[in-house]
Amino acid sequence: MKKFIIGYLAFCTNHGQARCHSKMACKNDSSQVKACLDHSDMAGESRAGTSRETTDSSSPKQRHSQSSGNEATDSRQKPGAEARSGDTRDEGKLKSKPECHMQLDKLSANRQHTVLIDIKEFYAGRIVPYKGKHVWDSKHVKLPQHYPPNAMEPRWAVTDRALKKLTQRGASVGDVEGAIKMYNPAHNKDWSFEALYTYVERLPKLENNFSHLISKMAKLALKLPELIQHPIPLLRQNCSHTITISQEQISCLLANAFFCTFPHRNTRHAGSEYGNFPTINFSSLFAVRSPRTLEKLRALFHYFNTVTEEATKPIGLVTFERICLHPSKWPEWNKQMENMTNLRVYSKGLIEREGQGMLQVDFASKFVGGGVLGQGLVQEEIRFIQCPELIVARLFTEKLADNECLKITGAQMYSNTSGYSDNFEWHSPHTDSTERDEWKRRYCQIVAIDALNFADPRQQFTEKSIKRELLKAYVGFKEDSNIPSEYTPAVATGNWGCGAFKGDPMLKALIQMMAAAVAKRDLAYFTFENRKQAEDLQRMHELLKSQKMTVGKLYNLLQDYCRYYSHHHHKAKNVFDYISEKMCVRPSQL
């Protein structure tokens, strides 16, 4: 059978029958104008339980590459290379892109995929905005240039005049503050710009000439009506939908976020229109003077300096895909017969570097980006600061539900950083040489999955909590079911939800191993300098593999552990020791 399958795939490949990477890549006979979008129909279909699985039955075609262009540039280990001291591994190299990439169908728009560039122009070698029809409603981003007239002078006219003043030479922080407050008069008294003043006072002009850069950023922000000519749908809960947008369009949207031009987005109190969305205007970042804020501003200003220079501005696309898994697709964990997939554990290295080409896990907040525009500086916020294009997801992504994730494909890395939390520092510019796919997206895919936040760590050792975390990890790890595992890269992850959210690292590792097994993906697991954890995890994985442990049997063992823990939590053995003991005592039952 195996030889037959391999032969069949080779036959299909030789005959050029490439199938689409996911539903968003499927061909659509209708024009972009017709396909993008009947949003009322889209919402109705999605809320009825839309699946992201494809209906195309043709076979995959692997894309071969002479050189990946994304090798690690520092001395730390990349998965697939020889293990260094303190790292443990299984045999075999983990799959990553572009080596295991499948050729995509042509970029197309449909009711589940909004494309903000003109596709015909794209295939003619140009990236220009797609011209759609303006809307102002609850299903789309409310753009400042379309604010309904309710005064003597339209809001965008005020914004345009204020930003044009900043394009002149010599703009100061006071000028920026005055401009922002001109079109946000309700916040004249409560918005502070202390962090921005401190940044300019302390940072040498050689790093960022503030006045010159502000002028370039204001010019970029003013291009909003030119660059965004099609409605941007909100990625709402219970609705699978995809947005593909150019990096230039993202830079313009982020420049507007910096200048706080987005209307109706300055409050998130209960019952407010956008109370279920993250913040997007940068006002919260400007308010608090702290070392954390200064380092964030250094990275963000470097990004804006890069994208406003003709020689360095990015020229590709980025895709944002909200995936909602209908309950009919949820695994019955106690019945799953899959064995553990391959695992390689690394005590050294980083997900975003040594995990290049893999599906990289963002240890997310339900509100994507977490505290990136505030004081947060843990794994998610650091990734968003290194790759500011991720921040634009906050403009249109509603809070994630338990059966949802957000996948971002093509984001570029602009900054090297070091440290964590209070020790975080912007280090240097990063030159991203990662190759691009057929849609001109970097071979970088990030999945945002939010772990439960346990005020009481004991709450995680319950069947309800474990099932929730399994579902969340599975939604994030799951690939299109029609794509063979040979074309599915490994997952690069680590101690998901084990910091401020108080998750148990051993339990979270087992949960991710189980979800990866059902999703048919291998794992690269980074313990961030914790060598003992790396060794313990590798031993546990080897034991599970040697005993041919299935996901269903391991799930039942975890339920046994939960019952044991509820009676002995003050002196309970850890979950690794408990499972090891049970496996050795009752081998006949495994």
Side-chain angles (χ1 to χ4, degrees):
M1 176 60 72
K2 183 175 181 182
K3 291 181 179 179
F4 171 79
I5 293 172
I6 294 172
Y8 175 71
L9 291 173
F11 172 82
C12 293
T13 300
N14 291 336
H15 284 73
Q17 297 179 354
R19 62 171 308 284
C20 60
H21 174 64
S22 68
K23 187 166 186 176
M24 64 185 177
C26 290
K27 292 182 178 179
N28 190 310
D29 294 331
S30 58
S31 68
Q32 185 169 19
V33 174
K34 183 178 179 182
C36 250
L37 284 159
D38 182 342
H39 289 291
S40 60
D41 286 351
M42 176 198 74
E45 290 175 5
S46 297
R47 295 182 194 284
T50 301
S51 167
R52 65 185 289 266
E53 297 183 9
T54 65
T55 56
D56 186 356
S57 60
S58 55
S59 299
K61 180 192 290 183
Q62 185 175 14
R63 178 184 184 275
H64 297 285
S65 174
Q66 293 298 319
S67 61
S68 67
N70 64 345
E71 294 297 318
T73 56
D74 58 18
S75 61
R76 289 171 295 188
Q77 183 184 8
K78 180 181 179 181
E82 290 300 314
R84 292 174 53 180
S85 176
D87 298 324
T88 54
R89 63 186 182 93
D90 280 345
E91 293 300 323
K93 182 178 179 180
L94 300 183
K95 295 187 292 295
S96 62
K97 292 188 176 185
E99 289 82 4
C100 71
H101 173 66
M102 285 196 328
Q103 181 175 310
L104 303 175
D105 276 355
K106 283 194 172 183
L107 178 64
S108 63
N110 55 52
R111 288 185 176 179
Q112 290 183 311
H113 186 192
T114 299
V115 181
L116 295 179
I117 63 158
D118 190 297
I119 294 171
K120 290 182 179 179
E121 292 289 331
F122 177 74
Y123 283 105
R126 296 178 292 274
I127 297 180
V128 299
Y130 175 66
K131 297 180 180 179
K133 185 177 180 181
H134 146 68
V135 294
W136 180 277
D137 61 25
S138 62
K139 297 175 183 176
H140 301 85
V141 174
K142 291 183 174 177
L143 296 169
Q145 70 267 35
H146 300 311
Y147 195 92
N150 59 359
M152 294 295 293
E153 187 176 22
R155 177 188 170 96
W156 182 249
V158 177
T159 304
D160 182 87
R161 188 171 67 253
L163 294 181
K164 279 181 177 175
K165 287 184 178 179
L166 296 180
T167 65
Q168 301 168 7
R169 293 184 178 182
S172 65
V173 177
D175 295 326
V176 173
E177 179 180 1
I180 291 174
K181 288 182 175 180
M182 187 178 296
Y183 44 84
N184 290 290
H187 299 281
N188 277 342
K189 294 183 179 179
D190 59 308
W191 277 6
S192 170
F193 290 76
E194 287 302 310
L196 205 55
Y197 280 103
T198 304
Y199 168 83
V200 174
E201 290 170 1
R202 295 186 181 180
L203 206 65
K205 288 186 177 180
L206 289 177
E207 182 170 319
N208 275 318
N209 186 323
F210 181 80
S211 297
H212 178 62
L213 182 53
I214 286 295
S215 174
K216 294 192 297 177
M217 291 169 60
K219 290 176 183 177
L220 177 60
L222 286 168
K223 293 176 70 176
L224 188 63
E226 171 192 339
L227 290 175
I228 305 295
Q229 299 192 39
H230 186 278
I232 305 174
L234 297 173
L235 299 183
R236 290 281 193 180
Q237 286 185 350
N238 304 313
C239 177
S240 294
H241 194 74
T242 302
I243 299 170
T244 295
I245 182 171
S246 75
Q247 290 179 281
E248 184 180 17
Q249 289 172 319
I250 291 174
S251 69
C252 179
L253 290 168
L254 290 179
N256 276 274
F258 178 91
F259 291 114
C260 306
T261 72
F262 290 109
H264 296 205
R265 300 302 293 266
N266 294 327
T267 181
R268 282 187 51 224
H269 62 73
S272 63
E273 182 178 2
Y274 288 93
N276 222 28
F277 283 76
T279 58
I280 183 62
N281 288 329
F282 279 30
S283 54
S284 57
L285 185 64
F286 300 149
V288 181
R289 179 172 55 187
S290 73
R292 293 186 180 198
T293 305
L294 297 182
E295 296 303 315
K296 286 184 180 183
L297 288 172
R298 292 178 73 187
L300 290 169
F301 277 125
H302 167 65
Y303 164 76
F304 284 119
N305 196 46
T306 302
V307 300
T308 53
E309 287 293 329
E310 195 64 31
T312 55
K313 73 177 185 180
I315 55 171
L317 306 184
V318 182
T319 295
F320 299 83
E321 181 182 13
R322 187 186 191 112
I323 299 168
C324 176
L325 192 66
H326 190 268
S328 64
K329 305 285 186 181
W330 297 1
E332 294 185 64
W333 295 103
N334 63 333
K335 298 180 181 179
Q336 297 301 134
M337 299 303 295
E338 295 87 356
N339 297 116
M340 299 298 109
T341 51
N342 293 322
L343 172 76
R344 299 185 68 177
V345 189
Y346 298 87
S347 64
K348 301 180 186 297
L350 299 171
I351 290 172
E352 64 270 21
R353 293 187 181 175
E354 284 69 33
Q356 283 183 348
M358 300 182 185
L359 177 64
Q360 302 175 353
V361 176
D362 163 22
F363 304 168
S365 163
K366 288 184 179 181
F367 296 94
V368 293
V372 65
L373 298 182
Q375 291 299 293
L377 257 177
V378 290
Q379 193 255 14
E380 178 174 41
E381 290 89 355
I382 291 172
R383 192 66 193 273
F384 276 55
I385 288 296
Q386 294 171 336
C387 310
E389 289 162 347
L390 301 175
I391 296 174
V392 82
R394 296 168 65 87
L395 178 63
F396 44 71
T397 307
E398 190 174 14
K399 181 176 72 171
L400 296 175
D402 289 346
N403 61 330
E404 296 179 322
C405 71
L406 181 71
K407 284 186 178 176
I408 303 122
T409 305
Q412 183 167 322
M413 186 172 176
Y414 292 84
S415 289
N416 298 313
T417 66
S418 62
Y420 187 85
S421 191
D422 287 337
N423 295 321
F424 173 82
E425 289 184 351
W426 182 83
H427 184 269
S428 59
H430 179 84
T431 301
D432 195 333
S433 58
T434 308
E435 280 191 39
R436 297 182 186 270
D437 65 18
E438 298 89 340
W439 294 4
K440 294 185 71 67
R441 304 175 304 181
R442 299 280 185 188
Y443 282 112
C444 174
Q445 187 170 66
I446 298 165
V447 60
I449 52 174
D450 52 296
L452 289 174
N453 189 347
F454 297 106
D456 181 353
R458 293 174 295 182
Q459 295 171 342
Q460 66 192 295
F461 297 106
T462 65
E463 182 176 12
K464 180 180 178 181
S465 295
I466 289 173
K467 286 183 72 174
R468 190 274 181 190
E469 300 296 70
L470 280 167
L471 175 62
K472 176 63 70 167
Y474 175 70
V475 171
F477 297 173
K478 184 179 184 295
E479 184 55 278
D480 186 315
S481 62
N482 289 318
I483 294 180
S485 59
E486 290 83 355
Y487 298 90
T488 305
V491 176
T493 188
N495 295 329
W496 171 54
C498 296
F501 285 11
K502 301 181 181 178
D504 180 87
M506 288 177 253
L507 178 61
K508 279 292 168 57
L510 291 171
I511 285 172
Q512 292 184 86
M513 286 163 54
M514 294 163 69
V518 179
K520 298 179 174 58
R521 285 189 189 262
D522 295 333
L523 284 177
Y525 200 101
F526 297 87
T527 63
F528 309 109
E529 306 296 331
N530 190 330
R531 181 172 179 173
K532 182 180 186 305
Q533 183 195 1
E535 293 171 348
D536 290 346
L537 177 53
Q538 191 70 30
R539 279 196 296 267
M540 172 53 62
H541 180 260
E542 290 170 357
L543 178 60
L544 295 173
K545 291 277 278 187
S546 68
Q547 295 292 335
K548 296 182 170 56
M549 175 66 71
T550 66
V551 170
K553 290 177 181 178
L554 182 54
Y555 177 81
N556 291 330
L557 278 177
L558 288 179
Q559 302 319 305
D560 290 343
Y561 180 77
C562 289
R563 288 187 284 272
Y564 157 79
Y565 185 88
S566 68
H567 292 97
H568 304 88
H569 61 264
H570 290 300
K571 54 181 179 179
K573 57 176 66 75
N574 68 57
V575 66
F576 278 9
D577 289 345
Y578 180 89
I579 289 174
S580 299
E581 182 179 293
K582 289 293 181 181
M583 291 177 71
C584 293
V585 171
R586 301 182 297 171
S588 62
Q589 299 180 29
L590 298 176

